[in-house]
Amino acid sequence: MTSLQRHSERHRTDRIGWLRAAVLGANDGIVSTASLVLGVAAASSSHSSILVTGVAGLVAGAMSMAAGEYVSVHSRADTEKADLSRERDELQAAPTAELHELTAIYISRGLDQALAAQVAEQLMQHDALGAHAREELGISVELSARPIQAALSSAASFAVGAALPLAVTAAAPGPLLTLSVAGTSLVFLAVLGAVAAQAGGANPVTGAARVTFWGALAMAVTAGVGALFGAPV
């Protein structure tokens, strides 16, 4: 009898959690810090004031991203736990009904009734809760919520992203500060969008264009507000 061997495959679904948090954090770090710097610069502030504002924005933004991601993802994790607990109770109270429910799911996916019943029964015997978590609730190990991972990824990536326009702000001479920060930030965003799209299996050009467009819009609006009111925003 020939043994079945699982061939090696590489998928990207296990990257969704950390990739989303990392890309979102880095994007926000670049856009928010660059926009903040440009808005303050447009209000004719001193170079030192602009730099201090940028540093404050980096720290506050990183903490905000970490807290927001943790609360958001933890809420999802709590919902998953509650659904699994309810499913566990249903499996204990009405195992036959749960077997029929799993059978119906496989029938709806194309299996005939006899095969669907056989598959459902075997999976129930092997791991009833795991089978219902995947097929009925859509919960899997690869896509399960990880609050701490998301919070740390967001904070770290925000800080890295914010550090880029902040470094340009510190190095650029006063007359060229606005142009330098805006131009390099758009380059940073384009690279980020391309890399993120490539890692997720999407078109790098489309990813770069999308991220760059919205980043440019955010920076332009913030600089416009700073110039209009003549005060830091």
Side-chain angles (χ1 to χ4, degrees), residues 4 21 31 61 67 71 91 93 115 118 122 130 139 146 169 190 200 208-209 214 218:
L4 296 177
V31 173
V71 171
L91 285 168
L115 181 57
Q118 183 181 5
Q122 290 188 9
I139 299 174
R146 296 180 176 86
T169 302
W214 289 107

Side-chain angles (χ1 to χ4, degrees), residues 134-219:
R134 290 189 304 272
E135 308 298 346
E136 184 181 349
L137 304 177
I139 299 174
S140 64
V141 174
E142 292 81 7
L143 302 180
S144 60
R146 296 180 176 86
I148 295 179
Q149 181 191 65
L152 293 178
S153 296
S154 294
S157 58
F158 184 97
V160 171
L164 297 176
L166 196 57
V168 176
T169 302
L176 298 178
L177 189 147
T178 298
L179 183 61
S180 299
V181 171
T184 54
S185 294
L186 291 178
V187 173
F188 296 149
L189 288 171
V191 172
L192 173 65
V195 170
Q198 182 68 34
N203 188 315
V205 176
T206 301
R210 180 171 54 240
V211 173
T212 304
F213 170 78
W214 289 107
L217 181 62
M219 287 186 283

Side-chain angles (χ1 to χ4, degrees), residues 14 22 51 60 69 73 80 83 96 101 144 162 166-167 187 196 202 219:
D14 59 340
L51 192 57
E69 278 294 314
V73 179
E80 290 180 355
D83 283 343
T96 302
E101 184 177 29
S144 60
L166 196 57
V187 173
M219 287 186 283

Side-chain angles (χ1 to χ4, degrees), residues 99 103-104 106-107 110-122:
L99 176 60
T103 300
Y106 289 127
I107 292 175
L111 299 183
D112 61 58
Q113 185 170 358
L115 181 57
Q118 183 181 5
V119 171
E121 183 176 357
Q122 290 188 9

